[in-house]
Amino acid sequence: MIQAIAFYLFAAVVIVSAVMTIASRNPVHSVMWLILAFFNAAGLMVLVGAEFIAMLLVIVYVGAVAVLFLFVVMMLDIDFAEMRAGVARYFGIGLALAVALAAEVMVAVGAWSAGQIDLSRRAAPIDPAVPNIAAIGQLLYTRYLFIFEAAGLVLLVAMIGAIVLTHRERGGTRYQNISRQNARRPQDAVRNVDQPVGQGVQL
Amino acid sequence: MTGFFQNTVGLPYGWAWFVATIVGILVIALPLMLAVAMIIYADRKIWAAMALRRGPNVVGPFGLLQSFADGLKVFLQETIIPSAANRALFLLAPIITFTVALIVWAVIPFQAGVVLADINVGLLYILAASSLGVYGIILSGWSSNSKYPFYSALRAAAQMVSYEVAIGFVLITVVLWAGSFNLSHIVLAQQNLFGVHLNGFGFNPLLFPMAVVFLISSMAETQRAPFDLTEAESELVAGYQTEYSSMSFALFWLGEYANVILMCVLNATLFWGGWLPPVDWAPLYWVPGIIWLFGKMLFFFFVFSWVKATVPRYRYDQLMRLGWKVFLPLSLLWVFLVSGVLMLDRVGTSGAPLQPVAMTATPAGRS
């Protein structure tokens, strides 16, 4: 009963907020709707017993990715008139994408109603007593070790690539050398002089 | 408590669980609000004592009712919404801050078995919830439609995201040693460390540096001094809460201190034995665990106030340097060190196949 209520609540909020992400005029509102959608998707995953994935979804997408989205969008100076002028130009591409998506949904529903393939269970049956994290860890670091490592490598390359592409060396920046500052002592920096009248100071 | 509603009241299991959870939430949240009021008073008293002042001493005996008087004052104020502000998000932002500060408490174990949600991903839940906290600040800064709150929001976002990275790695070292993400298991894993009758990962010389990094990072994460650049008066008026008044301001205030208490409790739970007494000696266990937890929390809060009263504010680039160039490499190195030590300790050098870790140890039962 409570599971059913929770499921329909989460599912309805996901759909509504996904629609509002596209429909809302203000881009910051769009991002907020998107975050709500992520959050409720995490709720759905908790319901099916994938609490580890749910937490990762919130940490990675809501905690990091959406913050960056919000950053970028908040800084944007958006001209709505210009955006509406683009609608006619991109109408064809948008329509093609929509048709492709609708076709995929239809194929998926057809395949699903034809019967389950149960692929995941056959590949790696999960003992329900083992916690989620332990089960995923034992699969990732044994059977899928090379794929997992390769995925990590791809991410590393992407990260280095992003840094290399956006790094810009500015000339004339003076950096602070903290260890040198901390190592500086009064006797190195201060000098007491008995200054005679009428003479310049030797620096 | 679910059993009580199921058997004595006679509700079906689902509803009994539901009612028991609601009651549990109230039992945690209401004393927490009281604790926030008293901790604000304690903060001002400690701060005053360090500055050789007397602090609040007029309202009630020793000024004990000062926080309630302040609360009543903001409650009776008018809520001002700037005409250029984005109304919906302007009101939503303090609500997010306050809610996020409260939901994290669901997974904190107050005593053996006394925890609202005894989940296996407890620590990840805390990471997830604390990463949500940044939205309250970003949104308040943006929706105020004012320069200083916006600068403050940008600073806060960058600061919190940076220090969460270091905190994440510190948590990994703890999780590696404890072998679980469940906070109750983490506390129990600290009992009688190395058989030397000390309770707490902080007594482990390998993990002690991480305890220090976590303490400093938790100050940065809650934007307490010396990392309170988001509300640096001399630069940004009052930071992201400049345009707020009345209850919307009070929600920020309560949320901020609830977060500070939470970080104190996390310091105690992750590194200093949580509800366990510091020394593994039988008579000490006669004191209820919640008293130990409370005492450790108060100690860490005193440290927070002490630092606030004595350490000058960091400059922004120094803050970023500390987060990215000191804490991140240090904690990453420690993840390698700790996993190496554990590998030698628990598996050995023979390269024998790793036995699946037994995850069957269950805490004493649910509240």
Side-chain angles (χ1 to χ4, degrees), chain B residues 32-102:
Chain B
L32 178 67
M33 285 299 98
L34 198 64
V36 165
M38 292 326 291
I39 216 105
I40 292 173
Y41 167 76
D43 195 22
R44 295 174 65 177
K45 271 291 190 193
I46 296 168
W47 202 12
M50 300 221 178
L52 296 181
R53 289 183 288 115
R54 296 183 64 190
N57 59 356
V58 175
V59 191
F62 309 108
L64 273 171
L65 298 176
Q66 181 67 48
S67 298
F68 299 100
D70 289 344
L72 193 66
K73 186 197 79 180
V74 288
F75 187 68
L76 294 175
Q77 277 178 340
E78 181 194 355
T79 308
I80 302 166
I81 300 177
S83 54
N86 189 319
R87 216 183 159 80
L89 292 181
F90 186 79
L91 291 176
L92 188 65
I95 298 176
I96 292 180
T97 304
F98 183 68
T99 316
V100 165
L102 285 187

Side-chain angles (χ1 to χ4, degrees), chain A residues 32-103:
Chain A
M32 292 315 290
W33 286 113
L34 185 68
I35 291 164
L36 194 63
F38 282 147
F39 213 68
N40 285 278
L44 285 176
M45 290 193 188
V46 170
L47 276 186
V48 297
E51 71 262 14
F52 180 61
I53 306 285
M55 290 303 143
L56 280 195
L57 185 72
V58 175
I59 293 173
V60 174
Y61 282 92
V62 180
V65 175
V67 171
L68 293 182
F69 276 9
L70 206 56
F71 243 79
V72 173
V73 163
M74 282 192 321
M75 306 278 199
L76 287 178
D77 186 22
I78 291 171
D79 185 359
F80 288 103
E82 197 181 322
M83 275 174 67
R84 284 200 203 96
V87 169
R89 244 172 63 206
Y90 296 116
F91 186 73
I93 301 172
L95 197 67
L97 272 177
V99 167
L101 271 179

Side-chain angles (χ1 to χ4, degrees), chain B residues 107-353:
Chain B
V107 295
I108 300 292
F110 294 99
Q111 206 168 341
V114 182
V115 50
L116 181 64
D118 190 18
I119 52 176
N120 278 327
V121 287
L123 212 48
L124 286 176
Y125 175 84
I126 288 176
L127 264 185
S130 68
S131 66
L132 284 178
V134 71
Y135 283 108
I137 296 175
I138 300 189
L139 285 182
S140 64
W142 182 79
S143 64
S144 297
N145 203 352
S146 164
K147 278 195 188 63
Y148 292 122
F150 191 59
Y151 284 139
S152 164
L154 293 184
R155 282 185 178 188
Q159 176 177 343
M160 288 174 83
V161 170
S162 312
Y163 279 84
E164 253 158 36
V165 180
I167 285 185
F169 281 121
V170 172
L171 295 186
I172 286 176
T173 59
V174 172
V175 166
L176 279 172
W177 206 282
S180 173
F181 275 98
N182 188 322
L183 282 169
S184 302
H185 290 193
I186 290 177
V187 171
L188 288 177
Q190 299 178 39
Q191 196 164 14
N192 202 359
L193 203 73
F194 299 133
V196 288
H197 304 297
L198 288 173
N199 295 333
F201 285 143
F203 294 116
N204 181 339
L206 185 62
L207 286 177
F208 179 75
M210 290 294 98
V212 176
V213 169
F214 189 73
L215 181 65
I216 299 173
S217 299
S218 56
M219 282 172 199
E221 182 74 8
T222 50
Q223 282 133 31
R224 290 278 295 191
F227 306 111
D228 59 343
L229 286 133
T230 54
E231 38 203 277
E233 310 83 6
S234 50
E235 300 160 20
L236 296 177
V237 193
Y240 55 91
Q241 28 184 285
T242 304
E243 305 287 344
Y244 282 84
S245 59
S246 180
M247 277 318 277
S248 50
F249 171 73
L251 285 181
F252 273 123
W253 205 22
L254 293 172
E256 197 178 302
Y257 273 91
N259 266 330
V260 170
I261 302 179
L262 176 87
M263 277 302 174
C264 295
V265 168
L266 271 185
N267 268 297
T269 306
L270 293 174
F271 286 101
W272 302 100
W275 74 75
L276 300 170
V279 181
D280 195 24
W281 183 47
L284 289 181
Y285 283 92
W286 294 339
V287 180
I290 192 161
I291 306 269
W292 285 118
L293 185 68
F294 204 67
K296 289 170 186 175
M297 183 203 94
L298 286 180
F299 171 75
F300 280 109
F301 188 75
F302 180 75
V303 173
F304 270 54
S305 292
W306 190 1
V307 169
K308 180 181 175 178
T310 48
V311 183
R313 186 179 289 136
Y314 264 53
R315 216 172 50 210
Y316 200 73
D317 61 315
Q318 292 171 332
L319 173 90
M320 284 293 142
R321 175 184 167 271
L322 186 70
W324 287 106
K325 290 189 178 171
V326 181
F327 283 176
L328 178 64
L330 194 71
S331 51
L332 192 58
L333 177 72
W334 242 260
V335 169
F336 280 102
L337 264 179
V338 168
S339 34
V341 167
L342 286 176
M343 192 75 187
L344 282 177
D345 186 38
R346 296 186 185 169
V347 183
T349 46
S350 62

Side-chain angles (χ1 to χ4, degrees), chain A residues 154-172:
Chain A
V154 170
L155 281 177
L156 180 68
V157 171
M159 193 171 77
I160 295 173
I163 293 171
V164 168
L165 285 178
T166 56
H167 184 71
R168 178 162 59 99
E169 198 76 52
R170 287 188 194 85

